[in-house]
Amino acid sequence: VFHNSAVEPALAGGDIGNGTICDCFGVTRGSFYHHFNSKEDLLGLWIKEKTDELNQGYTEDPSKSAKDNLRELLLGYASFLDWVGSDLMHSTLSTITNGDRAIWYGILDPMVNNSTARLIEKCQAEGSVCAQHSVEEYLRLYTSAIIGACIRWHLDSEIDIVQEIQMIFDMVFSK
């Protein structure tokens, strides 16, 4: 939907109105609302598409430990969040408070995909993370911490979100 589109740079810039979106796609507002309930629906779809691209482009490096591969995968998402910007992430997070959890889970699902789960299992097998917690518990804790970091990032623009997520990774996936 968004490849080579005039809307992608505008979306990454954060504060974009429906009129700008319609102009970029060359559609009327009526057509926009026929396909999307809100701007946040479109933003969620765009972010999901970008995270799907990250997943498809990721290849595990057999010369690295499972934990190093997991770090590389998850910090790839951190770099993407940094590129997207705190305002857009805050806008997307705000949809949760309005009861639209589907958008957020559409974004999180690719981040906690089978590759992530498989790498956590490998980390447990190699002993680089604690095996007493389930993969689901690790994923819940990590994603909860990421949500908190995104909120803090929006409130304090001085936060380096990649560094923050690196710290979260180190804390969550310690022995």
Side-chain angles (χ1 to χ4, degrees):
V1 169
F2 303 104
H3 297 292
N4 301 319
S5 169
V7 80
E8 187 166 299
L11 287 173
D15 189 22
I16 180 173
N18 291 349
T20 303
I21 292 170
C22 292
D23 290 346
C24 287
F25 280 118
V27 299
T28 65
R29 284 182 184 261
S31 179
F32 174 83
Y33 284 110
H34 176 75
H35 296 284
F36 302 100
N37 291 325
S38 67
K39 171 178 72 172
E40 286 73 22
D41 282 352
L42 175 67
L43 297 175
L45 177 65
W46 176 71
I47 291 173
K48 183 179 182 327
E49 184 177 290
K50 299 307 281 183
T51 55
D52 285 346
E53 287 175 17
L54 283 170
N55 285 332
Q56 292 169 359
Y58 177 76
T59 305
E60 192 174 331
D61 184 345
S63 69
K64 295 181 180 178
S65 69
K67 191 169 184 176
D68 286 341
N69 276 296
L70 180 61
R71 178 182 290 109
E72 184 177 306
L73 175 64
L74 296 179
L75 290 181
Y77 294 122
S79 295
F80 169 70
L81 293 179
D82 188 41
W83 178 75
V84 166
S86 66
D87 289 341
L88 179 56
M89 287 311 301
H90 182 262
S91 177
T92 306
L93 281 169
S94 295
T95 62
I96 298 169
T97 61
N98 295 327
D100 196 351
R101 293 185 182 112
I103 293 172
W104 183 246
Y105 288 114
I107 296 165
L108 282 182
D109 284 347
M111 292 186 195
V112 294
N113 63 24
N114 291 335
S115 296
T116 307
R118 188 179 70 256
L119 284 169
I120 293 171
E121 289 171 347
K122 285 184 170 184
C123 288
Q124 289 175 323
E126 74 181 12
S128 60
V129 300
C130 181
Q132 87 182 64
H133 302 292
S134 71
V135 170
E136 292 78 20
E137 289 171 322
Y138 274 112
L139 293 174
R140 274 198 317 269
L141 178 60
Y142 184 75
T143 54
S144 296
I146 297 301
I147 291 169
C150 286
I151 292 168
R152 284 189 55 239
W153 179 36
H154 179 71
L155 297 173
D156 179 0
S157 62
E158 298 298 314
I159 289 176
D160 179 335
I161 193 64
V162 175
Q163 189 175 36
E164 191 82 2
I165 291 174
Q166 171 70 53
M167 183 178 66
I168 291 168
F169 177 89
D170 291 340
M171 292 170 89
V172 170
F173 296 106
S174 63
K175 273 183 122 176

